[in-house]
Amino acid sequence: MSTINLENCSLENVVNFITQEVDAIIAVDGKNDKYKAIARKGLFSEIVEEEGKYNDLIKTLWYHFSDGSSEVVEDYHVFVPTAGIFLGKYSKRVKINYNEQPHVVQMTIYPTSQPDMYIFILDELDGSQYVDEALTNKKVESIQNTYLFSMYVDLLNDTVNSCSVTEISDEVINQQIKYSDWRKKIVNMFGPEDQPVFMQRTSPEYLKKNLAPGKTSSYDCMMLNLEGKFIWVKLIFSRAETNNDDDFRFVFMVQDIHDNTVELMETLKKYEDMASKDTLTSVYNHGRIETEMRNAVETKKKFNMDVSILMIDIDFFKSVNDAFGHSVGDTTLIRFVETITKSIDGYKAVLGRWGGEEFVVVLYGTNDVKSLSLAEKVRTSVAAETFDTVGHITCSIGMTHVRSDDELDAAFERMDKAVYEAKSAGRNCVKVL
C-alpha cells in the first residue's frame, strides 16, 4: 500500500495514491453503449472485461438479485438503458455475488463535460465496513420485505426518482426515465386482462381527479416478478399532503401479497365447495347442479355446442332403506355415485344430486349418439356393480338433448318425462325425449 503524509502530500501524490488503491476505473460511452476498463484488479479483473457493452456492465453491477448472482428476468431489462443515465455525480453501494461469495462494492460515477460520458470508480469494501449496516437492515427486513418496489412521482414534471427495488438493492437505484415512458414499459409486466386497468389507474388524469392531497388508492392484480413468475401484488398510490392543490406528487409502491392472496382464495374455494357440494356424496347439491343446467342451456344458445342432460333414478331404492336401514342406504348412495363418476370419466360432464336417489349429469360436447352410448354405459355399470349388503341394484335414466331455443323448464320437463317413461317400461333402461 502506498504511503502518504502531509509533508509529501501533493496533487500528483494523491492521484498516484488513488490510482494504486482503487480497484477499478472504467470509462463509459453511454451514447454508443461501450465501456473501457482503464484499471481493474481483484474482483473486477474477474467480472469486468477490458472492453464491452455498457448495458452489460449495468447488468453485472446491479441488475441481479441482491442475495445472489442470478439476473432479473429479461422482461425487466427494458429499464437497463435508462438506469445508466446520470445527470450528476452518483454514489451507491451494490452487492455482487461471485463464486458463491458476496462482495459489497462502493460505486462512484462522475459525468464528464461530454454528454453520456462517465468515469466509474469501483472499490470492494472490507466486510467490517458494512457489517453494522447489514445488522440494522436485518432489523427492519420484516417490515420492508413485502414491498417489492417504490418510487417518487412528480406528474407536473413527468419525472420519477428515488426508485427502490428491494430484491436488487437495499438502496435507491438510479433511474433516469420519464413517468410517461415508465408506464409504457412496466405495463408489459402485467397480464393482458390487467393491462387496461393499470393504464387507467396510473394515468395522470385519473390520479389528479381521484386522489386528493394525503389520500391513498390501491388495487390488487397479478404482476410478473423479477424471477419471471406472475404473483399477486397490491399497487399503491399515495398523494403527498401539501397545501397546494396543484402539487401532484405521489409515492408509488408495489407490495407482495401473493402468499396471503393464494391462502385466501384457497379458503374461499373451500367454503364455496362446502356450499356447493352434497354432504353425503360430495357431488354437486341441488342448487349447484340446477345452476349447471342453466349454464348448459345458455351454452347451447351462445355456442351451439352439443349439450345433453340426464336424470338417473335408482330403482326401488325405498326398499333398500326399508330392508337394510338408512345407514346401508347411505353407503349404497355413495357407492352408486362412485360408479357413475367412473363411467363418465374422460367426458366433459358434471354430476349432482337432485334429491333422494335422483342424480343429474350435465354433458357437454358429446353428440346424440355418443351421449346415448354414455347413458347406456352408466346403466350397465350400475347393474354390474355389487353393492355391500344390498347386492345388485339397477337404475332408470331419462335423457334429453338441449335445443337452441330451449329454456331450462322445457328441457327439464322432457328429461323428467323420459325418466317416467323408463320406469313405466320396466326400469333398468334409458329413454330419450
Side-chain angles (χ1 to χ4, degrees), residues 175-188:
Q175 189 67 70
Q176 298 296 331
I177 186 173
K178 293 183 178 179
Y179 175 66
S180 53
D181 292 335
W182 174 85
R183 289 177 66 231
K184 294 174 184 177
K185 292 178 183 292
I186 203 71
V187 68
N188 295 318

Side-chain angles (χ1 to χ4, degrees), residues 16 88 104 164 179 195 252 392 410:
N16 289 335
V104 174
S164 175
Y179 175 66
Q195 290 182 9
F252 174 67
H392 292 280

Side-chain angles (χ1 to χ4, degrees), residues 232 256-264:
W232 281 100
D256 181 355
I257 59 170
H258 186 72
D259 291 343
N260 289 340
T261 302
V262 170
E263 182 179 352
L264 175 61

Side-chain angles (χ1 to χ4, degrees), residues 217-390:
S217 173
S218 68
Y219 74 98
D220 301 345
C221 62
M222 295 200 77
M223 182 180 184
L224 200 67
N225 69 1
L226 298 179
E227 294 178 333
K229 300 176 182 177
F230 276 102
I231 63 170
W232 281 100
V233 298
K234 182 181 292 292
L235 303 186
I236 305 167
F237 263 96
S238 181
R239 183 173 171 183
E241 188 169 10
T242 67
N243 295 324
N244 183 0
D245 290 340
D246 295 324
D247 187 357
F248 295 103
R249 289 177 294 167
F250 298 81
V251 174
F252 174 67
M253 303 182 77
V254 178
Q255 183 182 13
D256 181 355
I257 59 170
H258 186 72
D259 291 343
N260 289 340
T261 302
V262 170
E263 182 179 352
L264 175 61
M265 288 182 169
E266 289 175 350
T267 301
L268 292 174
K269 179 63 176 175
K270 174 183 175 182
Y271 285 107
E272 179 187 347
D273 287 344
M274 290 173 62
S276 301
K277 297 293 181 67
D278 176 59
T279 55
L280 175 64
T281 62
S282 296
V283 296
Y284 285 153
N285 58 22
H286 180 101
R288 180 59 185 272
I289 197 63
E290 182 177 2
T291 299
E292 289 295 325
M293 286 193 288
R294 292 189 186 280
N295 291 342
V297 170
E298 292 303 312
T299 298
K300 178 65 178 181
K301 290 180 179 180
K302 290 182 179 179
F303 306 107
N304 197 31
M305 178 188 290
D306 289 319
V307 177
S308 301
I309 52 176
L310 297 74
M311 176 76 81
I312 308 169
D313 194 337
I314 301 176
D315 296 328
F316 304 112
F317 186 70
K318 184 176 182 300
S319 63
V320 172
N321 284 329
D322 291 343
F324 305 105
H326 288 280
S327 178
V328 172
D330 288 349
T331 303
T332 302
L333 286 173
I334 294 171
R335 185 68 174 274
F336 179 75
V337 165
E338 291 173 351
T339 303
I340 298 175
T341 301
K342 290 179 182 178
S343 299
I344 65 176
D345 184 42
Y347 290 83
K348 188 177 181 181
V350 292
L351 171 63
R353 187 180 183 186
W354 189 250
E357 68 273 22
E358 292 181 322
F359 295 82
V360 169
V361 173
V362 180
L363 182 62
Y364 294 91
T366 305
N367 62 32
D368 296 358
V369 175
K370 290 184 178 180
S371 57
L372 177 58
S373 176
L374 176 61
E376 286 290 350
K377 179 183 177 182
V378 170
R379 183 190 66 80
T380 56
S381 296
V382 170
E385 188 70 38
T386 301
F387 293 81
D388 294 342
T389 307
V390 176

